[in-house]
Amino acid sequence: MLLDATAVEGRTRQFVELLDEGNVDQAVLVSREIPPIEVGLIVVELTSDVAVSFCKAAGMMYSAVFLDPLPARRIAKFLSSLPEKEAMDLCRALPANGIADVLVDMDNGWRDRFLEYLPEAQSETVKRLSSYENDVVGAIMSSDFIAARSGASVPMLRETIKTLPKGRSPREPFVFVLDAGDRLCGMISWKDLLQGSEQSTVNDIMVTNVVAVRDTDKAMEAAHIYQKRGLSVLPVVNKEDHLVGVVSLEEALELLAHEAVNTYPFCGQDDESTFTPVVGSIRRRLPWMSLNVFLNLGAVAIISGFEETIEELPIIAAFLPMITDMGGNVGIQALSVSIRSIALKEADFSDIFYSIRKECFVGIINGSSLGVLFGLIVILFEKNWMLALAAGLALGINVLLACLVGGCMPFLVKKCGLDPAMVTGPLLTTITDCTGVIVYLGLTQGLLSYIISNE
C-alpha cells in the first residue's frame, strides 16, 4: 500500500500511541506501514521493557531490519540498555558488517561474550570484517549476498531464493557464481534468473566480465569505479579471488557525497572558479598567456621558413588559418571532455591510455571527414586537385593530432599538480598551430610543382 507523507505521519503517531498503551501486537502491525528507519528511531528511545517486548513480538529478524539503517553508535547504545540475552539475539540478527560496526562501540567484555555466543562461521566473518582498516573496501562491504556454485540448476536456485527469510534477502538483486575453488567467475541478475529456462544452468545465463575490487583496495577508489562504470553492484574479492562481500550503491554514494562535501570548500584555493577575485584570475592567467606569446613565435618562425613557397604560390596562405583554427577547435572539444571527466572524478591519470585510444579513433574518422570536406571546398574555389589534396590531408592530420593532444594533455598537466583548465588551452592552441603550419606548408612545398602545373 502506498502512503503519502500525511498518512505516514498518522501511522507513526498511531504506532507511538499503541506502544504507550502497551498494545505491542497491534503496534507491530502498524509498524509495517512505516519506513523502517522511522520505526528504528522510535524504538531506540523506548524503555528497556517496552523495547524488548516489541522486538520479541516483531521477531528479531524484522527488528534488525529497522535497526540496521541507524548509526552504529546509536544501535550500540540501545543494545547496552537491554538485558544481555535479548541484546545479543538482536545484534546477531543484524548483517555481519552491521555487527562488526556495532561491536566497535561495545565494551570489550560484552564483545568477547557476544563473539562466543555467535555460531563459529558467523563469528569468524564478524572478526574478519572487524580487522580491516577504516579506509579500505573491506570496512564498507557487506557480506550479505547470494552465491551459487558453477553448474547449478536455474530452477533449483530460484526455489532456494524463495526460502530466504523475509526481510533478510540481500539488497542487491544479483546472484554471484563461484567455481569449484570458490573464485568469482560470473554474476546473474534476478531478472535473468527469473527468465531462465527450466533446463538451463547458471553458466548459461551468467555474465562473465564482472568488475570486482580487492578487499584491501581503498574505499574511495571503489566508489570512483562505481561512478565511472555506472555499476549496479560491485563484488569484493580477497587476494585468492574468493568472493568475500559486495559494495552497495548506497555505500558508494555516501563516500562520494562525503568527498564532495570535504572537497568543495577548498576547490577554489588552487584552481580558479567563477567567484575567484579579479586579481587572482589575472595572476593565474597572465603568466600562461605571456608564455603563449613566446610559444607562438615558433609558428611565426616556421612560416618564415616557407617564405619562398608562399611567394611562389600566394594562394596557399589563404587556407592556412582554416587548418590551424580547425585544429584548435577540435582540440578544445577533446580538452573539454577530459577536463570535465577529471573534475567529476570520472577519470584519472590511469585512464590516459583509454582516452588516447578513443581520441585516436575519433580523430581518424573526424579528420578524414573534415579533410574530404575541406578538399572539396578548395576544389570549388581553386579548381586545383593537388592543392585540394595537400590542404585536405593537412587538415585531417591536424585534426587527428589535436584530438590526441586535447585528450591526453589534461591528464599529464593534472599529474604535474597544475590546473588543467588554466594550462592546457594555451599549450593546445600553440601545438595545433605549429603542427598545422608544418604539415600544410610541408605538403604544399613537396607538391609545389604538381600544384603549379594544375593551375
Side-chain angles (χ1 to χ4, degrees), residues 317-329:
F319 299 111
L320 187 56
M322 173 70 81
I323 295 170
T324 55
D325 287 352
M326 187 60 72
N329 293 334

Side-chain angles (χ1 to χ4, degrees), residues 153-164 175 190-200 202 205:
S153 165
V154 166
M156 184 178 296
L157 181 56
R158 285 198 291 250
E159 291 301 317
T160 302
I161 292 176
K162 289 180 183 178
T163 64
L164 291 175
V175 175
W190 286 16
K191 177 183 176 182
D192 291 339
L193 184 64
L194 291 173
Q195 294 176 347
S197 68
E198 295 295 315
Q199 293 75 34
S200 59
V202 293
I205 60 174

Side-chain angles (χ1 to χ4, degrees), residues 36-346:
I37 191 170
E38 293 291 337
V39 178
L41 290 171
I42 294 170
V43 171
V44 295
E45 297 299 329
L46 297 174
T47 62
S48 175
D49 292 342
V50 177
V52 169
S53 297
F54 176 77
C55 291
K56 285 184 175 180
M60 294 301 180
M61 296 296 286
Y62 173 63
S63 300
V65 170
F66 61 72
L67 284 179
D68 190 33
L70 301 181
R73 183 167 297 178
R74 194 158 190 181
I75 299 174
K77 182 179 178 181
F78 171 65
L79 294 178
S80 298
S81 69
L82 303 180
E84 188 169 283
K85 174 65 167 61
E86 285 73 13
M88 287 188 174
D89 286 340
L90 189 52
C91 189
R92 177 181 173 180
L94 291 169
N97 57 309
I99 297 174
D101 292 339
V102 169
L103 291 185
V104 173
D105 294 301
M106 304 297 285
D107 67 72
N108 293 335
W110 196 96
R111 186 185 309 137
D112 294 339
R113 290 193 300 276
F114 176 73
L115 291 174
E116 292 177 0
Y117 176 73
L118 288 177
E120 184 177 355
Q122 191 177 11
S123 178
E124 290 301 319
T125 300
V126 171
K127 289 177 182 177
R128 175 170 52 81
L129 291 173
S130 303
S131 66
Y132 290 107
E133 298 292 333
N134 290 333
D135 62 342
V136 301
V137 171
I140 66 166
M141 71 181 183
S142 168
S143 59
D144 192 16
F145 58 86
I146 297 177
R149 187 68 65 190
S150 176
S153 165
V154 166
M156 184 178 296
L157 181 56
R158 285 198 291 250
E159 291 301 317
T160 302
I161 292 176
K162 289 180 183 178
T163 64
L164 291 175
K166 188 175 182 180
R168 295 299 293 125
S169 297
R171 297 173 185 174
E172 289 73 31
F174 292 93
V175 175
F176 301 96
V177 182
L178 310 180
D179 64 16
D182 286 335
R183 292 179 293 271
L184 179 65
C185 61
M187 186 171 74
I188 307 168
S189 70
W190 286 16
K191 177 183 176 182
D192 291 339
L193 184 64
L194 291 173
Q195 294 176 347
S197 68
E198 295 295 315
Q199 293 75 34
S200 59
T201 67
V202 293
N203 300 66
D204 300 324
I205 60 174
M206 71 180 184
V207 175
T208 55
N209 56 335
V210 181
V211 178
V213 292
R214 298 281 184 195
D215 55 351
T216 52
D217 290 344
K218 293 297 183 182
M220 278 308 311
E221 293 177 3
H224 289 151
I225 290 174
Y226 243 118
Q227 183 184 39
K228 288 193 292 183
R229 305 270 187 153
L231 302 175
S232 300
V233 67
L234 186 59
V236 182
V237 297
N238 60 17
K239 62 181 180 180
E240 290 83 21
D241 289 331
H242 295 167
L243 181 66
V244 293
V246 293
V247 177
S248 66
L249 179 60
E250 289 82 359
E251 290 288 354
L253 290 176
E254 185 176 340
L255 285 171
L256 292 170
H258 188 266
E259 180 187 52
V261 169
N262 288 338
T263 303
Y264 180 75
F266 307 102
C267 66
Q269 291 186 2
D270 297 317
D271 298 343
E272 183 184 351
S273 73
T274 302
F275 303 102
T276 300
V278 173
V279 175
S281 294
I282 294 173
R283 191 178 70 250
R284 287 172 172 82
R285 298 185 193 183
L286 187 57
W288 293 106
M289 299 311 297
S290 300
L291 175 62
N292 201 43
V293 171
F294 293 98
L295 292 175
N296 278 322
L297 291 176
V300 174
I302 293 170
I303 294 175
S304 300
F306 291 93
E307 188 173 349
E308 294 182 1
T309 302
I310 296 174
E311 287 180 355
E312 192 165 348
L313 191 62
I315 189 61
I316 64 176
F319 299 111
L320 187 56
M322 173 70 81
I323 295 170
T324 55
D325 287 352
M326 187 60 72
N329 293 334
V330 169
I332 288 173
Q333 284 183 329
L335 198 71
S336 300
V337 172
S338 295
I339 290 176
R340 181 169 57 196
S341 297
I342 292 172
L344 295 176
K345 304 290 186 182
E346 294 177 349

Side-chain angles (χ1 to χ4, degrees), residues 360-432:
C360 185
F361 285 114
V362 172
I364 291 173
I365 295 173
N366 285 354
S368 301
S369 303
L370 293 172
V372 170
L373 177 61
F374 188 44
L376 293 174
I377 293 173
V378 173
I379 291 174
L380 180 64
F381 282 96
E382 293 300 319
K383 307 294 189 299
N384 191 315
W385 287 90
M386 295 308 296
L387 180 58
L389 175 64
L393 189 59
L395 181 67
I397 293 173
N398 204 31
V399 166
L400 173 59
L401 291 174
C403 284
L404 292 173
V405 173
C408 70
M409 185 183 293
F411 295 100
L412 297 172
V413 172
K414 186 68 176 178
K415 185 69 173 177
C416 294
L418 301 174
D419 181 4
M422 201 63 54
V423 178
T424 50
L427 291 178
L428 174 71
T429 53
T430 301
I431 292 172
T432 53

